[in-house]
Amino acid sequence: MPLDYPIHQRTLANGLRVVVSPDPSVPTVTVNLWVNVGSRHETPGRTGFAHLFEHLMFQGSRNIASGEHFTRLMAEGGRLNATTWFDRTNYFETVPKGAYELALWMEADRHGHLLDAVTQENLDNQRDVVKEEKRQRYDNVPYGKALIEVYAAVFPPEHPYHHPTIGSMEDLDAASLEDVHAFFRRYYGPNNTVLTLVGDLTAEEGFAAAERYFGHLPATAETPRDTLPQLAPLTAPVTVDRPGAVPNDRVHIAFRLPVDNTDEFFASALAIDALGGLSTSRLVQRLVRREQVANAVQAHAMGFVDGVSLGFFVLDVADGQDPATLEAAVVEELERFAVEGPTAVEMESALAQSERSWLSALAGHEERADLISQHVLLHDDEQFVNTFLDRIGQVTPDQVREAAAAWLRPESRAVVRHLVAAEEDAA
Amino acid sequence: MSTVTEAQGDAARPEVAPPGPWSFPVPARHTLSNGIELLAYDIPGQYVVSVRTVLPLPLSAEPRHIEGVATAMARLLDEGTAEHSPEEFAELLERKGIALGASVNEAGLGVDLDVPKRHLPEALGLLRLALAEPVFPQAEVERIRRTRLAEIEQERALAPQRAAREFVATFYDADDRASRPSAGTAETVGALTRQDVVAFHARHVGPQGMTVVVAGDLSGLDVVDDFEQTLGSWEATRQTTPGAAAVRSPDAARIVLVDRPGSVQSELFVGCAGPDRRAEGGWAPYPVLGFVIGGSPNARVDAVLREEKGYTYGIRSVFRPRSSGGLFLTSGSVRANSTVESVGLLLDILDGVREGLTDDEVRAGVDFVSKTAPGRFATADAVADEAATLALEGLTTEFTTSNLERIRALTADDLVTAYRRWVQGEWTVVVVGDASAHAEGIRSLGRGEVAVVPN
């Protein structure tokens, strides 16, 4: 079934790419902005900065008081937030239709005139808030740093994905007001941003409003650098052991993958599903159901743009089992899959579950807008939401096998093991 | 600081047009031949159809020595049926893109299914098999038991879960089922046998009293027939007696410090008794109060603890209704060396709401809760979840619509009166953090007796 969400795109004179996707089924409008800056753009000594900067976007701009972005829009019935990731920063709100121009006006104010309002006090306060976010999400959680360790093991030092978006405490401490000014001037501007509007408005209404509120902003952002060339798979296995106060051993087995939005990436993702991402996948059947040496197996593929993506399996080791035995089983299944490829049932299942999760993602305006912004900003493909299922539907079992043979080779794995430490060793 | 001057070219601040009226979608209702109540919400454009079955089943129905049997039973429903082995059944689900999940809470059993529209009929056939013909293979019972035991250790290691467990143990009377984990303890799960699971299912799971909700783009489907052919053909009797309201412990108002040496943050979990949706005076004030107190970075709690002090990433307040009675809970984590001050500030802020709210706070809270409703209930799964949650309490989504109307009419006096009805400064406080660093300081706050327990 080809999808046919209406998509209208226009680029303003200042370079702002605007997409409008009308959907009058709900009397709301979702405003979604993607800025082409993420932790991959950070410099050594300033990790975590893109995310800290995102927090400052809520602390006032030329015509908006500190905190007003949340208070005003929530009081109009808005639900809003922002997030930072390796590849980008996004800002979004869903508001009743009658408030969407206010939302655009407020977004334009901070995306155009943040620096009028940035203060040392706000920087210091949000630095503290971000440190608590880091402690809450990573430092005070069993296995909380596992993915950070995966990034560091899979990607080479100095590579944009080697360090996590949350950054380090030392670098957060080092961030200064001068950094805020320089970062804003370099990366924020209509020519480095995509604006998507989804909801109860027409394309012409959306384009007119975008012009009204953003059209006068100058194209101030610097031209982005080219993305990096594709990284080859690791040539020898890497193992990182982290003994600590964890309830059971957990093993992450990770691989470099092709960049996002390529047939090779989609094929790799389907291979990962067949191996570990379904309740019927090979590793779940073998390790969880039959041998019962794992409590759970998960698998994920994360698409990135800067020369590499990431795929990984997570094994929760059952009490009393040796993580090395589980890892050996994974190696065996990877080798077998690279020769056999997926079965017809595995292909059917992986595609069927991809279809459901894609349709579920598109069901709400918020995520639909976010996916449109993503693919316009990073891939210049405004129709992606409509074509993705057809594209993965065309991936052949042979392509899936080839992707596994090229990218999921046992010798290319990076293994991060969180192991139960004896009491006296526990951190 | 706001200014009225505008830079050249900036558009003027636009006015906001008020939203029009909105009400929750109205379902088509049908009683299947075996008595199951079917509620069908047709939502054009929602291509993944959400199905929610709910069955009132109080956790107090579990025998004391095998608590957790209801959760184990729910998790085993799709692990093998009379016709299909566990692996075959999983394959049938995956090939059609079906997500099936079952869980229990204090009020009952819920089995949820999401599926692309065109596979709905097959999905309902599998749903019927899971509910009506599970066989609970011995090997799967063993596996689910072992997984639950591992999960108990995971919950112990996670500060928010550890805090929640200590909270119910402190707040509720030790003889009440609500004082113990819904999915059972290591001792009770360890005692569980396959026969217990089989017997629990046979006694308590059947069509009588069940409601099934379906939401999504239903055009071109004969939903009533699809359900009649599947769930409607299920015959079974059940013997479940309704539960009673959970009983608060006589010494609930105290502070418990769960000791985690070296913790870089402290998890705070503060609460008292709250209303259910049928409470005297109505439910309407409570979602608004939750928002005004702890629903945003600029709500009462985070305005101080996050935006002024920088002690937390965020603390949230919520009135959580149960089938009878409820809780008012505030929880989140703070920097370790701010623990004592944060506990004092938090309790002062929560007590301070008894003194009154500003008109701006009331307006903002009322508008947020009422005007976000169309967006919050825009998708099939959100509609189905709301209808299922209410059905378990014997309510329909007309409640959602009428409650929103009442919310729009609330005044500051209404909110403060509602708050005072439940909040009298009798707090149950759980802190998960480093006792050696904080116990003395918390005692010196003078906010109640402090007990230290191991993690």
Side-chain angles (χ1 to χ4, degrees), chain B residues 126-248:
Chain B
L126 295 171
L127 175 62
R128 182 195 173 281
L129 293 181
L131 280 164
E133 298 178 13
V135 294
F136 308 110
Q138 181 68 39
E140 300 304 318
V141 174
E142 290 297 319
R143 183 166 69 78
I144 292 296
R145 234 162 44 102
R146 205 171 42 247
T147 309
R148 170 58 191 157
L149 293 173
E151 181 184 70
I152 289 169
E153 287 306 302
Q154 295 283 348
E155 290 169 355
R156 198 167 71 88
L158 289 162
Q161 277 86 339
R162 181 66 188 87
R165 198 182 96 195
E166 198 64 34
F167 181 87
V168 297
T170 308
F171 181 82
Y172 288 114
D173 191 276
D175 289 335
D176 199 291
R177 176 66 182 90
S179 71
R180 297 182 293 275
S182 298
T185 62
E187 187 189 353
T188 60
V189 172
L192 204 54
T193 67
R194 174 179 179 272
Q195 192 47 43
D196 294 327
V197 178
V198 170
F200 193 84
H201 178 267
R203 183 179 176 91
H204 294 293
V205 180
Q208 185 193 348
M210 177 173 271
T211 301
V212 57
V213 181
V214 56
D217 189 326
L218 305 181
S219 60
L221 297 175
D222 187 344
V223 170
V224 170
D225 189 58
D226 287 341
F227 277 87
E228 191 63 70
Q229 296 299 322
T230 52
L231 288 185
S233 70
W234 172 26
E235 297 297 338
T237 54
R238 55 191 297 249
Q239 305 155 40
T240 304
T241 46
V247 178
R248 182 175 179 267

Side-chain angles (χ1 to χ4, degrees), chain A residues 5 26-28 55 59 62-63 65 67-68 70-72 74-79 96 98-99 101-102 105 113 125-126 128-129 132-133 135-137 139-143 212-213 216 247-248 250 278-280 285 288-290 292 295 316 345 348-349 352-353 355-356 359-360 363-364, chain B residues 1-3 5 7 9-14 16-17 46-48 79 86-87 90-91 93-99 114 116 118 139-140 143 146 150 153-154 157-158 263-265 291 295-298 306-308 310-313 333-335 364 367-368 371-372 374-376 378-379:
Chain A
Y5 290 104
V26 186
T28 60
H55 275 242
Q59 304 307 115
R62 178 176 288 170
N63 295 296
E68 190 183 353
F70 271 119
T71 52
R72 185 71 255 135
M74 291 178 102
E76 297 295 348
R79 291 170 298 135
E101 293 200 53
L102 174 65
W105 180 81
H113 311 302
N125 166 257
Q126 290 303 307
D128 284 344
V129 170
E132 292 319 306
E133 181 177 357
R135 292 188 177 106
Q136 180 180 324
R137 295 168 72 152
D139 300 346
N140 201 40
V141 185
Y143 321 103
R212 190 175 314 130
Y213 299 107
H216 64 285
N248 59 252
R250 182 176 290 175
L278 302 165
S279 67
T280 49
Q285 300 274 38
V288 179
R289 288 184 179 281
R290 290 176 197 157
Q292 305 208 356
N295 292 328
D316 263 301
V345 169
E348 182 187 2
S349 301
Q353 291 295 1
E355 178 188 347
R356 180 184 48 78
L359 294 177
S360 289
Chain B
M1 156 116 185
S2 265
T3 98
T5 54
D10 282 3
R13 185 175 185 126
V16 173
Q46 293 290 301
Y47 303 124
V48 175
E79 296 292 348
E87 293 189 15
E91 188 176 298
L93 294 173
E94 299 286 27
R95 289 173 71 174
K96 300 300 177 191
I98 300 166
D114 292 275
R118 69 175 187 281
E140 300 304 318
R143 183 166 69 78
R146 205 171 42 247
E153 287 306 302
Q154 295 283 348
L158 289 162
S263 197
V264 296
Q265 283 189 321
F291 176 78
S296 82
N298 302 101
R306 173 179 153 130
E307 295 297 297
E308 183 190 327
Y311 291 164
T312 180
Y313 178 48
S333 56
V334 297
R335 190 165 76 220
D367 284 347
F368 177 78
K371 293 180 181 174
T372 52
R376 285 188 283 121
T379 54

Side-chain angles (χ1 to χ4, degrees), chain B residues 285-306:
Chain B
Y286 299 103
V288 176
L289 283 164
F291 176 78
V292 169
I293 297 164
S296 82
N298 302 101
R300 286 259 171 128
V301 173
D302 272 354
V304 177
L305 287 176
R306 173 179 153 130

Side-chain angles (χ1 to χ4, degrees), chain B residues 23-40:
Chain B
S23 55
F24 201 90
V26 176
R29 295 162 181 282
H30 185 84
T31 305
L32 302 183
S33 54
N34 59 356
I36 293 178
E37 289 296 320
L38 171 66
L39 306 175

Side-chain angles (χ1 to χ4, degrees), chain A residues 145-199:
Chain A
K145 292 179 191 148
L147 277 183
I148 294 176
E149 288 149 357
V150 165
Y151 307 144
V154 173
F155 305 122
E158 312 308 320
H159 193 277
Y161 302 136
H162 183 78
H163 76 273
T165 303
I166 195 69
S168 74
M169 291 292 191
E170 296 70 32
D171 289 358
L172 289 170
D173 277 330
S176 69
L177 273 184
E178 292 70 45
D179 293 326
V180 175
H181 282 255
F183 193 86
F184 183 80
R185 290 202 191 93
R186 181 166 181 187
Y187 294 111
Y188 278 69
N191 52 325
N192 204 32
T193 302
V194 166
L195 166 66
T196 299
L197 301 170
V198 173

